[in-house]
Coordinates of all heavy atoms in Angstrom, one line a residue:
I1 N 3.5 -8.9 8.1 CA 4.8 -8.9 7.4 C 5.8 -8.3 8.4 O 5.7 -7.1 8.8 CB 4.8 -8.0 6.1 CG1 3.9 -8.7 5.1 CG2 6.2 -7.8 5.6 CD1 3.8 -7.9 3.8
G2 N 6.7 -9.1 8.9 CA 7.6 -8.6 10.0 C 6.8 -8.2 11.2 O 5.9 -8.9 11.7
E3 N 7.0 -6.9 11.6 CA 6.3 -6.4 12.8 C 5.1 -5.6 12.4 O 4.6 -4.8 13.2 CB 7.3 -5.5 13.6 CG 8.5 -6.3 14.1 CD 9.4 -5.4 14.9 OE1 9.2 -4.2 14.9 OE2 10.3 -5.9 15.5
Y4 N 4.6 -5.7 11.2 CA 3.5 -5.0 10.7 C 2.3 -5.9 10.4 O 2.4 -6.9 9.8 CB 3.8 -4.2 9.5 CG 4.8 -3.1 9.8 CD1 6.2 -3.3 9.7 CD2 4.4 -1.8 10.2 CE1 7.1 -2.3 10.0 CE2 5.3 -0.8 10.5 CZ 6.6 -1.1 10.4 OH 7.5 -0.1 10.7
E5 N 1.1 -5.4 10.9 CA -0.1 -6.1 10.7 C -0.8 -5.5 9.5 O -1.0 -4.2 9.5 CB -1.0 -6.0 12.0 CG -2.3 -6.7 11.8 CD -3.1 -6.5 13.1 OE1 -3.4 -5.3 13.5 OE2 -3.5 -7.5 13.7
L6 N -1.1 -6.2 8.5 CA -1.8 -5.7 7.3 C -3.3 -5.6 7.5 O -3.9 -6.5 7.9 CB -1.5 -6.6 6.1 CG -0.1 -6.9 5.8 CD1 0.0 -7.8 4.5 CD2 0.7 -5.7 5.6
L7 N -3.8 -4.3 7.4 CA -5.2 -4.1 7.6 C -6.0 -4.1 6.4 O -7.2 -4.7 6.4 CB -5.3 -2.7 8.3 CG -4.6 -2.6 9.6 CD1 -4.7 -1.2 10.2 CD2 -5.0 -3.6 10.6
E8 N -5.5 -3.6 5.3 CA -6.3 -3.6 4.0 C -5.4 -3.3 2.8 O -4.4 -2.6 3.0 CB -7.5 -2.7 4.0 CG -7.2 -1.2 4.0 CD -8.4 -0.4 4.0 OE1 -9.0 -0.1 3.0 OE2 -8.8 0.1 5.1
L9 N -5.7 -3.8 1.7 CA -5.0 -3.5 0.5 C -5.4 -2.1 -0.1 O -6.6 -1.9 -0.2 CB -5.2 -4.6 -0.6 CG -4.5 -4.4 -1.9 CD1 -3.0 -4.5 -1.8 CD2 -5.0 -5.4 -2.9
I10 N -4.4 -1.2 -0.3 CA -4.8 0.1 -0.8 C -4.6 0.2 -2.3 O -5.4 0.7 -3.0 CB -3.8 1.2 -0.1 CG1 -4.1 1.3 1.4 CG2 -4.0 2.5 -0.8 CD1 -3.1 2.1 2.1
G11 N -3.6 -0.5 -2.8 CA -3.3 -0.5 -4.2 C -2.5 -1.6 -4.7 O -1.7 -2.2 -3.9
D12 N -2.6 -2.0 -6.0 CA -1.8 -3.1 -6.5 C -1.4 -2.6 -7.9 O -2.2 -2.3 -8.8 CB -2.7 -4.3 -6.6 CG -2.0 -5.6 -7.0 OD1 -0.7 -5.5 -7.1 OD2 -2.6 -6.6 -7.2
G13 N -0.1 -2.6 -8.1 CA 0.5 -2.2 -9.4 C 1.6 -3.0 -9.9 O 1.9 -4.1 -9.3
A14 N 2.3 -2.6 -11.0 CA 3.3 -3.4 -11.6 C 4.5 -3.6 -10.6 O 5.2 -4.6 -10.6 CB 3.8 -2.7 -12.9
Q15 N 4.8 -2.6 -9.8 CA 6.0 -2.6 -8.9 C 5.7 -3.3 -7.6 O 6.6 -3.7 -6.9 CB 6.5 -1.2 -8.6 CG 7.1 -0.6 -9.8 CD 7.7 0.8 -9.4 OE1 7.4 1.4 -8.4 NE2 8.7 1.2 -10.2
G16 N 4.4 -3.4 -7.2 CA 4.1 -4.1 -5.9 C 2.7 -3.7 -5.4 O 1.9 -3.1 -6.1
R17 N 2.5 -4.1 -4.2 CA 1.2 -3.8 -3.5 C 1.5 -2.8 -2.3 O 2.5 -2.8 -1.7 CB 0.6 -5.0 -2.9 CG 0.1 -6.0 -4.0 CD -0.5 -7.2 -3.4 NE -1.2 -7.9 -4.4 CZ -1.8 -9.0 -4.2 NH1 -2.0 -9.5 -3.0 NH2 -2.4 -9.6 -5.2
V18 N 0.5 -1.9 -2.1 CA 0.5 -1.0 -1.0 C -0.6 -1.4 0.0 O -1.8 -1.5 -0.4 CB 0.4 0.4 -1.4 CG1 0.4 1.4 -0.2 CG2 1.5 0.8 -2.4
Y19 N -0.2 -1.5 1.3 CA -1.2 -1.9 2.3 C -1.3 -0.8 3.4 O -0.3 -0.1 3.7 CB -0.8 -3.2 3.0 CG -0.7 -4.4 2.2 CD1 0.4 -4.8 1.5 CD2 -1.9 -5.2 2.1 CE1 0.4 -6.0 0.7 CE2 -1.9 -6.3 1.3 CZ -0.7 -6.7 0.6 OH -0.7 -7.8 -0.2
K20 N -2.5 -0.7 3.9 CA -2.7 0.1 5.1 C -2.3 -0.9 6.2 O -2.8 -2.1 6.3 CB -4.2 0.5 5.3 CG -4.5 1.2 6.6 CD -5.9 1.5 6.6 CE -6.4 2.2 7.9 NZ -7.8 2.5 7.9
A21 N -1.4 -0.5 7.1 CA -0.8 -1.4 8.1 C -0.6 -0.7 9.4 O -0.6 0.6 9.5 CB 0.5 -2.1 7.6
R22 N -0.3 -1.4 10.5 CA 0.1 -0.8 11.7 C 1.2 -1.7 12.4 O 1.2 -2.9 12.2 CB -1.0 -0.6 12.7 CG -1.6 -1.9 13.2 CD -2.7 -1.6 14.3 NE -3.3 -2.9 14.5 CZ -4.5 -3.0 15.1 NH1 -5.2 -1.9 15.4 NH2 -5.0 -4.2 15.3
H23 N 2.1 -1.0 13.1 CA 3.1 -1.7 13.8 C 2.5 -2.5 15.0 O 1.7 -2.0 15.7 CB 4.2 -0.7 14.3 CG 5.4 -1.3 14.9 ND1 5.6 -1.5 16.2 CD2 6.5 -1.8 14.3 CE1 6.7 -2.1 16.4 NE2 7.3 -2.3 15.2
V24 N 2.9 -3.7 15.1 CA 2.4 -4.6 16.2 C 3.0 -4.2 17.5 O 4.3 -4.1 17.6 CB 2.6 -6.1 15.9 CG1 2.0 -6.9 17.0 CG2 1.9 -6.4 14.6
A25 N 2.3 -4.0 18.5 CA 2.8 -3.5 19.8 C 3.6 -4.7 20.4 O 3.3 -5.8 20.4 CB 1.7 -3.2 20.7
G26 N 4.7 -4.2 21.0 CA 5.5 -5.2 21.8 C 4.9 -5.2 23.3 O 3.9 -4.6 23.5
P27 N 5.6 -5.8 24.2 CA 5.0 -5.9 25.5 C 5.0 -4.6 26.3 O 4.4 -4.4 27.3 CB 6.0 -6.9 26.2 CG 7.2 -6.9 25.4 CD 6.8 -6.5 24.0
E28 N 5.7 -3.6 25.7 CA 5.8 -2.3 26.4 C 4.8 -1.3 26.0 O 4.7 -0.2 26.6 CB 7.2 -1.7 26.1 CG 7.4 -1.2 24.6 CD 7.7 -2.3 23.7 OE1 8.1 -3.4 24.1 OE2 7.6 -2.1 22.5
G29 N 3.9 -1.5 25.1 CA 2.9 -0.5 24.8 C 1.9 -0.8 23.7 O 1.8 -2.0 23.2
D30 N 1.1 0.2 23.3 CA 0.1 0.1 22.3 C 0.7 0.1 20.9 O 1.8 0.6 20.7 CB -0.9 1.2 22.4 CG -1.6 1.2 23.8 OD1 -1.9 0.1 24.2 OD2 -1.9 2.2 24.3
P31 N -0.1 -0.3 19.9 CA 0.4 -0.2 18.5 C 0.7 1.2 18.1 O 0.0 2.1 18.6 CB -0.8 -0.8 17.7 CG -1.6 -1.6 18.6 CD -1.4 -1.0 20.0
Q32 N 1.6 1.4 17.2 CA 1.9 2.7 16.8 C 0.9 3.2 15.7 O 0.0 2.4 15.4 CB 3.3 2.7 16.1 CG 4.4 2.5 17.2 CD 5.8 2.5 16.5 OE1 6.0 2.8 15.3 NE2 6.8 2.3 17.3
E33 N 1.1 4.4 15.2 CA 0.1 4.9 14.3 C 0.1 4.1 13.0 O 1.0 3.3 12.7 CB 0.5 6.4 14.0 CG 1.8 6.6 13.3 CD 2.2 8.0 13.2 OE1 1.3 8.9 13.4 OE2 3.4 8.3 13.0
L34 N -0.9 4.3 12.2 CA -1.1 3.6 10.9 C 0.0 4.1 9.9 O 0.5 5.2 9.9 CB -2.4 3.9 10.3 CG -3.6 3.4 11.2 CD1 -4.9 3.9 10.6 CD2 -3.6 1.9 11.4
V35 N 0.4 3.1 9.0 CA 1.4 3.4 8.0 C 0.9 2.9 6.7 O 0.0 2.0 6.6 CB 2.7 2.8 8.4 CG1 3.3 3.4 9.6 CG2 2.7 1.3 8.4
A36 N 1.5 3.3 5.6 CA 1.4 2.7 4.3 C 2.6 1.8 4.1 O 3.7 2.3 4.2 CB 1.3 3.7 3.2

C-alpha cells in the first residue's frame, strides 16, 4: 500500500484492518523500522 509492504494482518474490525508493515527502501538505503 503506497510505500509500505504489508507483512501480516494484526487485526480486523468494523473500522478497518491493521497490518504489520515496513517502509519499502528507496535507492538510498535499507527499509525503515516496522510500523502498524
Side-chain angles (χ1 to χ4, degrees):
I1 295 179
E3 298 180 352
Y4 292 89
E5 180 180 56
L6 305 182
L7 302 175
E8 68 180 278
L9 180 65
I10 296 172
D12 189 5
Q15 291 184 339
R17 291 181 169 183
V18 178
Y19 293 92
K20 178 180 177 181
R22 69 175 169 200
H23 189 262
V24 178
E28 69 283 345
D30 296 327
Q32 294 180 3
E33 63 189 343
L34 298 175
V35 298

